[in-house]
Amino acid sequence: MFDYLVMGMILHEELTGYDIRKRIEMGVGHLYKASPGQLYPALKKLTGKGLLTLREQMQGKRQKKYYQATEAGKAAFLAWLSAPYDPHADADHYLVKIFLLGELPQDLRRQRLGEYEGILRGQLQGLDAIEKQLPTENLSDRNYYEFASFYYGYQTLQIMLRWIGHIRAEKPLSAFLQGKEEEK
Amino acid sequence: MFDYLVMGMILHEELTGYDIRKRIEMGVGHLYKASPGQLYPALKKLTGKGLLTLREQMQGKRQKKYYQATEAGKAAFLAWLSAPYDPHADADHYLVKIFLLGELPQDLRRQRLGEYEGILRGQLQGLDAIEKQLPTENLSDRNYYEFASFYYGYQTLQIMLRWIGHIRAEKPLSAFLQGKEEEK
DNA sequence: TCCCTCATGTAAGTAGTTACATGATTTC
DNA sequence: GAAATCATGTAACTACTTACATGAGGGA
């Protein structure tokens, strides 16, 4: 997965490892980290597989290594991004796929987002079922915080759904942030 | 961290490994998994360290193993939970700590939640600074989805802050879900 | 001059998943 | 009598973090 995220950064541009890390950090950094100990070995491995090209350049006394995806690399990346969402394999990485979704043609994009929306709705229903079974009386302190965590998860799912709906309709992003749009 | 989560489940109750897994799944499961390959070795290790007691019981032909925290286990757990939040060490585990917060006396609880709120506010300011630098014109498809992910992260942080504010005031949980409470 | 950011990388360790193996009990 | 759930566990693997090591370039 991480490999594809890296490749996604260098489809159209030559970048150094350092640049790639910065990009990832700014983009999905709050949710997903790219430590140097993970990135540099990955770049080496991907180059070895022929998915990246490496161009070394001296800048003064400083060695810089520019990487870019090869045709094989681009093909592998697109195959991965185009594949239907699999809740089993992708669970933690939806956000990363969506982050990169601009690389896909519009019809595929719509389809993937639709699938994802369906999966999330299913999860929300699952939480609804649990919620109905939660006791509402005689709550201990313990229960209060346990349930609070549950509700937080619930809320997060709702936001995610609203978010997917928003970007599926390709509405302007600023409108999403305000959060004051009409409810479904 | 995982060790403390496990201990938190068996402070006041004897439970089997299976029960513990179920509890964790229901409580923070959407955010944090407890696979058997992680849990069973952990139970063994913690028992070896004297932090848990183990009582074996045959139920018909079925062997069941009941675990509970020892005094040493409870002390270790409380020390961990009482410690000030450290964004460096705890980053991914705030939610787990909050999930267990009912075990702490009220004044400490308040204090920890307050610290956490401060940290989150700082993060939000960081994102604000980034947001101001994002271009708003001539956005490519690529940018749309990249920024969308950014805004999602932003929104999630806002929700988290609202959530912390909510539980810090110990307001009823149902009110949080509706999301139609007054903004600060 | 000192510190920050740029820039590359490795070694050792921790955390966590997946897949398997086994078998009892309960429910349809 | 089949399927789901209860119940325990291991081995192999993958993913990821932390801490270290090294040094250039730019700005205060």
Side-chain angles (χ1 to χ4, degrees):
Chain A
M1 204 298 351
F2 181 73
D3 291 354
Y4 295 107
L5 175 58
V6 169
M7 275 193 273
M9 299 293 106
I10 46 180
L11 293 175
H12 313 296
E13 227 178 330
E14 258 190 335
L15 293 178
T16 67
Y18 190 86
D19 294 332
I20 294 171
R21 262 177 62 218
K22 283 277 139 142
R23 286 276 176 102
I24 292 176
E25 215 158 286
M26 282 205 76
V28 280
H30 13 110
L31 309 143
Y32 203 85
K33 307 280 167 230
S35 61
Q38 194 184 5
L39 179 66
Y40 289 107
L43 288 172
K44 206 178 241 183
K45 185 190 70 184
L46 291 170
T47 308
K49 279 191 184 172
L51 299 173
L52 303 183
T53 55
L54 164 60
R55 188 172 61 84
E56 289 181 83
Q57 190 181 308
M58 289 312 255
Q59 208 168 74
K61 281 195 181 178
R62 185 134 112 198
Q63 186 203 220
K64 285 180 131 193
K65 297 191 168 183
Y66 288 93
Y67 293 92
Q68 185 159 21
T70 61
E71 286 310 312
K74 285 178 194 175
F77 172 83
L78 284 174
W80 170 77
L81 190 59
S82 308
Y85 284 141
D86 172 3
H88 187 61
D90 296 326
D92 289 339
H93 305 306
Y94 286 122
L95 248 27
V96 173
K97 280 203 163 182
I98 292 169
F99 176 66
L100 296 164
L101 214 56
E103 296 295 332
L104 238 47
Q106 201 191 38
D107 54 334
L108 259 183
R109 235 149 57 195
R110 286 252 169 85
Q111 210 176 316
R112 297 295 158 255
L113 286 170
E115 287 164 11
Y116 189 21
E117 205 172 339
I119 291 164
L120 290 177
R121 273 194 209 293
Q123 290 180 3
L124 198 64
Q125 275 173 26
L127 291 189
D128 274 329
I130 292 175
E131 204 255 336
K132 274 181 196 128
Q133 290 174 8
L134 294 181
T136 50
E137 310 221 340
N138 298 322
L139 297 187
S140 62
D141 269 12
R142 199 153 201 259
N143 285 328
Y144 182 83
Y145 291 95
E146 288 185 357
F147 294 175
S149 297
F150 173 85
Y151 283 119
Y152 174 74
Y154 191 99
Q155 177 93 342
T156 311
L157 245 186
Q158 282 188 327
I159 298 293
M160 187 88 181
L161 262 169
R162 223 169 71 196
W163 183 61
I164 297 286
H166 198 97
I167 63 177
R168 206 147 85 96
E170 292 183 14
K171 290 190 201 166
L173 294 172
S174 53
F176 176 66
L177 246 205
Q178 306 319 317
K180 47 181 63 164
E181 84 287 10
E182 79 301 349
E183 282 295 288
K184 60 137 192 304
Chain B
M1 204 300 350
F2 181 75
D3 292 353
Y4 295 108
L5 175 58
V6 169
M7 276 193 273
M9 299 294 105
I10 47 180
L11 293 175
H12 312 296
E13 228 178 328
E14 256 190 336
L15 294 178
T16 66
Y18 190 85
D19 295 332
I20 295 170
R21 261 177 64 220
K22 284 277 140 138
R23 285 277 175 102
I24 292 176
E25 216 158 285
M26 283 204 77
V28 280
H30 12 109
L31 309 142
Y32 203 84
K33 307 281 166 229
S35 62
Q38 196 184 5
L39 178 66
Y40 290 106
L43 288 172
K44 204 178 243 182
K45 185 190 71 184
L46 291 171
T47 308
K49 279 190 186 171
L51 299 173
L52 304 183
T53 55
L54 162 61
R55 186 172 62 82
E56 290 181 82
Q57 189 180 308
M58 289 312 254
Q59 207 167 74
K61 281 196 180 174
R62 186 133 112 199
Q63 186 202 217
K64 285 180 130 191
K65 298 192 168 181
Y66 288 92
Y67 294 91
Q68 185 159 21
T70 62
E71 285 311 312
K74 285 177 196 176
F77 172 83
L78 284 174
W80 170 76
L81 190 59
S82 308
Y85 284 142
D86 172 4
H88 187 61
D90 295 327
D92 291 338
H93 305 306
Y94 285 121
L95 247 26
V96 173
K97 280 204 164 182
I98 292 169
F99 176 66
L100 296 164
L101 214 56
E103 296 295 332
L104 239 48
Q106 201 189 37
D107 54 333
L108 259 182
R109 235 147 62 194
R110 287 252 168 84
Q111 210 177 316
R112 296 296 158 253
L113 286 170
E115 287 164 12
Y116 189 20
E117 206 173 339
I119 291 165
L120 289 176
R121 274 194 208 294
Q123 290 179 2
L124 198 65
Q125 275 172 27
L127 291 189
D128 273 331
I130 293 176
E131 203 254 337
K132 274 182 196 127
Q133 290 174 7
L134 293 182
T136 50
E137 309 218 341
N138 298 323
L139 296 189
S140 61
D141 270 11
R142 200 155 199 259
N143 286 329
Y144 183 82
Y145 292 96
E146 288 185 358
F147 293 175
S149 297
F150 174 84
Y151 282 120
Y152 173 74
Y154 191 99
Q155 176 91 341
T156 311
L157 245 186
Q158 282 187 326
I159 297 294
M160 187 86 180
L161 262 169
R162 222 170 71 196
W163 182 62
I164 298 285
H166 197 96
I167 63 176
R168 205 146 87 96
E170 292 182 14
K171 291 190 202 166
L173 294 172
S174 53
F176 176 66
L177 246 204
Q178 306 319 317
K180 46 180 62 164
E181 84 287 11
E182 78 301 350
E183 282 297 288
K184 58 134 197 306

